Amino acid sequence: MAGSIEAAPPLWLLAELTYRCPLHCVFCYNPLRYAQTGAELSTAQWVEVMRQARALGAAQIGFSGGEPLLRDDLEELVQEARSLGFYTNLITSGVGLTPARAQRLKHAGLDHVQLSFQDSTRELNDFLSHTRTFELKKKVAAIIKQHDWPMVMNCVLHRHNLPHVDKIIEMALELGAEYLELANTQYYGWAWLNRDHLMPTREQLEQAEAVVWRYREQIGSRCRLLFVVPDYFEQRPKACMNGWGAVFLSIAPDGLAMPCHNARDLPGLQLPNVCQQPLAEIWQRSAAFNAYRGEDWMHEPCRSCDERHKDFGGCRCQAFLLTGDAAATDPVCSKSPRHDKVLQLVRSAPERRHIPIVFRSDAESRSL
Ligand code: SF4
Ligand code: FES
């Protein structure tokens, strides 16, 4: 199939600068074996990636990780991205965003910052990240505002903090966030390992969503509240990545190019590396980017489904994790013959909470 489809250009480049991170979040979306991957790209290699991606048509860049502030060359990369014409986003835990660093990033032309919190309470924030970072994050939020950056606050939701949604919204308002992304946990990476501990009840979700709606009416456009769907509780899957190889291009710290940041865990995909192949060739012709592009790869029930243009058959990573087949219909869909697996995982989660929580760490990652 490789090379058979002329793809539209990518719009969004996710530059995962490093898998290193000072936090140990139980729902980290980095691959489980991140500590077993190759050396990080150099500054010059990242600059080359950005040039090629921009020439391909990418317009937005997200500097992410791990913690991108651990790279000393972040300012240089932001400056280069800006001069290439990218809209630049920093996706950070906040650790390392000192006033001096913020000043330099502003000078480099950084457009936008996304800051993550784990909860509105110090106890839960610090427990879930296994670090004492709550107060620091609040200081960083103030630094972001002092520099006039639009701020997205991001908080991953699960059964431990769903009852705090009102407090999380209040905190976002107090800190001056323009957007609050209330991201119900997606079960990949470390969240997949800790799924049973994180799985909420339907009642928790319904109550939290009602709170969100109430606040939306109260606060209007002062802070936009985004409630990312808890897809294990839905009847239809999300349109993951807006379709495979459609708009999203992720580059891992070691230069692997991926149509989705979790693609490293999919078996049988020969992921290309930007050190070995031009990006345009990777995007247009590589087998990995064409594997689930378009509709030719679909099986029933997706193949003849009249909703396939809306959700593209759902998420390939989720299909693989839940069925062992990345080309299967995402089992979140009620039309999938494996939908019962999702219902059963939700129902039986409380029975497996005796299994210890696994915090993300290099040692754990090396042992997996
Ligand atoms: Fe989407 Fe496939 Fe379900 Fe149809 S059967 S709604 S295309 S996941
Ligand atoms: Fe990989 Fe959805 S997370 S395709």
Side-chain angles (χ1 to χ4, degrees):
M1 188 197 306
S4 60
I5 300 166
E6 187 59 23
L11 297 177
W12 174 256
L13 173 65
L14 185 70
E16 295 193 300
L17 298 182
T18 179
Y19 284 141
R20 290 174 289 137
C21 187
L23 276 65
H24 304 281
C25 298
V26 297
F27 40 68
C28 175
Y29 72 80
N30 282 166
L32 293 173
R33 283 178 280 278
Y34 73 84
Q36 302 175 36
T37 59
E40 290 175 13
L41 297 185
S42 65
T43 311
Q45 285 170 315
W46 274 117
V47 168
E48 184 53 29
V49 167
M50 292 192 293
R51 284 195 183 133
Q52 291 188 32
R54 188 75 187 112
L56 252 179
Q60 294 232 19
I61 186 166
F63 292 102
S64 159
E67 176 46 69
L69 285 156
L70 288 178
R71 288 276 303 216
D72 293 340
D73 55 358
L74 182 61
E75 290 87 332
E76 197 178 334
L77 295 177
V78 167
Q79 187 158 19
E80 183 67 28
R82 207 60 183 72
S83 70
L84 287 166
F86 277 108
Y87 185 81
T88 53
N89 302 270
L90 174 64
I91 301 161
T92 179
S93 67
V95 178
L97 194 57
T98 58
R101 203 94 205 260
Q103 189 80 41
R104 292 202 297 272
L105 285 165
K106 188 75 188 176
H107 193 249
L110 181 66
D111 292 299
H112 196 276
V113 184
Q114 177 177 315
L115 174 66
S116 64
F117 273 82
Q118 280 72 10
D119 189 39
S120 55
T121 68
R122 179 186 304 111
E123 294 70 25
L124 199 49
N125 184 89
D126 292 359
F127 172 70
L128 293 167
S129 63
H130 210 54
T131 53
R132 291 207 179 119
T133 47
F134 185 66
E135 296 302 333
L136 174 87
K137 283 169 181 282
K138 284 188 149 184
K139 285 186 191 138
V140 167
I143 293 172
I144 293 169
K145 293 312 295 175
Q146 279 157 20
H147 287 80
D148 277 334
W149 278 309
M151 176 167 66
V152 176
M153 186 180 292
N154 167 281
C155 188
V156 175
L157 297 181
H158 39 74
R159 80 182 179 100
H160 299 282
N161 64 1
L162 274 162
H164 306 170
V165 155
D166 55 344
K167 301 284 185 314
I168 296 168
I169 297 171
E170 290 290 348
M171 181 172 79
L173 293 172
E174 186 189 312
L175 297 176
E178 275 81 8
Y179 299 88
L180 172 61
E181 187 177 76
L182 295 160
N184 281 289
T185 308
Q186 307 282 323
Y187 297 104
Y188 311 104
W190 297 78
W192 173 255
L193 277 191
N194 292 308
R195 192 182 59 234
D196 300 318
H197 289 282
L198 299 167
M199 190 71 71
T201 62
R202 187 172 291 281
E203 293 70 38
Q204 283 184 311
L205 287 163
E206 284 169 359
Q207 283 166 13
E209 197 165 9
V211 170
V212 171
W213 275 109
R214 204 175 68 228
Y215 269 94
R216 278 188 186 133
E217 278 161 24
Q218 272 174 26
I219 65 178
S221 59
R222 186 172 149 209
C223 175
R224 303 254 177 224
L225 305 180
L226 182 67
F227 192 71
V228 177
V229 293
D231 60 354
Y232 274 40
F233 293 80
E234 301 285 326
Q235 297 294 308
R236 291 289 178 272
K238 58 187 176 289
C240 200
M241 303 296 134
N242 234 5
W244 185 270
V247 293
F248 186 82
L249 169 60
S250 175
I251 308 294
D254 58 358
L256 276 198
M258 302 183 287
C260 143
H261 50 265
N262 291 303
R264 196 188 278 273
D265 289 337
L266 289 179
L269 268 191
Q270 295 292 319
L271 289 169
N273 193 300
V274 291
C275 303
Q276 287 146 14
Q277 237 179 315
L279 210 46
E281 199 176 298
I282 288 174
W283 179 259
Q284 289 294 345
R285 290 198 283 280
S286 70
F289 278 75
N290 281 293
Y292 308 110
R293 192 176 252 158
E295 297 178 359
D296 290 353
W297 59 274
M298 287 181 181
H299 303 305
E300 294 296 347
C302 294
R303 181 175 275 272
S304 58
C305 177
D306 58 6
E307 296 181 68
R308 65 186 185 281
H309 310 295
K310 277 196 253 167
D311 62 35
F312 317 107
C315 171
R316 297 307 88 224
C317 300
Q318 192 148 271
F320 170 68
L321 285 168
L322 292 169
T323 72
D325 176 7
T329 295
D330 184 336
V332 161
C333 181
S334 63
K335 297 183 192 178
S336 157
R338 308 297 300 278
H339 184 59
D340 61 321
K341 170 92 190 202
V342 175
L343 302 179
Q344 192 258 334
L345 283 178
V346 171
R347 248 191 336 260
S348 61
E351 295 159 22
R352 287 184 300 275
R353 290 193 184 133
H354 56 279
I355 302 167
I357 285 191
V358 184
F359 290 92
R360 171 205 150 119
S361 74
D362 294 357
E364 283 289 349
S365 174
R366 280 193 211 97
S367 73
L368 290 165

